[in-house]
Amino acid sequence: MTTLKSKLKEDLTTAMKARDELTSSTLRLTLTAITKEEVSGTSARELSDDEVLKVIAKEAKKRREAAEAFAQGGRTEQAERERAEGKLLDAYLPKQLTDDELDAIVTQAVAEAKAAGAEGPRAMGAVMKIVNPKVAGLAEGGRVAAAVKKVLAG
């Protein structure tokens, strides 16, 4: 079992003993998503820590989107719960890049792409190919795309 998955299970046990309903239900759902990912495909397999991180990031993103939807629908209580679950999952994710750090990486990637012959807004794909491996798990895809567009346009 991967270290991250075992940490999630240990934290679930601790939350259950403390009767922390929010934490235990959030971790149960996350562990279920991990198990579902492990058995999907042609054969069952054990996920690596990086793959577990991707599942946790996906679950955290779901919570943020749900919180936004509930807030727009006027269901503030439900939105707050989703936000709390998202914050709980964020604790397991690596620290996100700041806007300045992301801009520096994107600017460097744009320079590399221009050196390779990619110019203007059409260079988006080339720049994203350079940036994505560097920021994997450290910045959300939408944030990265927006930063690339901003640097290419300006």
Side-chain angles (χ1 to χ4, degrees):
M1 186 180 310
T2 62
T3 56
L4 187 55
K5 186 176 175 185
S6 60
K7 171 141 178 54
L8 286 169
K9 286 187 176 189
E10 288 169 18
D11 291 350
L12 173 61
T13 303
T14 305
M16 287 168 60
K17 286 179 182 175
R19 298 197 186 283
D20 183 349
E21 193 273 329
L22 175 75
T23 305
S24 59
S25 68
T26 303
L27 292 179
R28 272 194 189 107
L29 287 169
T30 305
L31 284 166
T32 301
I34 292 168
T35 304
K36 183 178 175 187
E37 190 69 30
E38 286 176 336
V39 298
S40 69
T42 54
S43 63
R45 63 191 174 84
E46 178 106 9
L47 295 181
S48 69
D49 271 350
D50 287 342
E51 292 170 314
V52 171
L53 273 177
K54 285 179 185 173
V55 173
I56 294 172
K58 191 169 28 170
E59 290 296 308
K61 184 179 179 188
K62 282 182 191 176
R63 299 308 189 290
R64 284 191 296 276
E65 290 171 351
E68 198 174 295
F70 282 128
Q72 287 176 354
R75 297 182 61 193
T76 54
E77 225 175 85
Q78 193 68 25
E80 285 305 313
R81 179 175 172 90
E82 293 291 335
R83 282 190 196 97
E85 288 180 5
K87 284 182 182 153
L88 199 148
L89 291 175
D90 285 342
Y92 294 96
L93 297 172
K95 185 178 173 294
Q96 297 289 298
L97 292 173
T98 64
D99 288 339
D100 293 337
E101 293 169 331
L102 182 60
D103 287 342
I105 292 171
V106 169
T107 304
Q108 179 188 3
V110 168
E112 286 179 38
K114 283 185 179 175
E119 284 289 326
R122 287 178 292 215
M124 178 89 174
V127 174
M128 289 297 282
K129 282 181 188 172
I130 297 169
V131 172
N132 276 336
K134 294 178 183 178
V135 300
L138 301 175
E140 214 171 79
R143 261 185 74 209
V144 175
V148 170
K149 285 178 186 173
K150 185 177 84 177
V151 172
L152 286 174

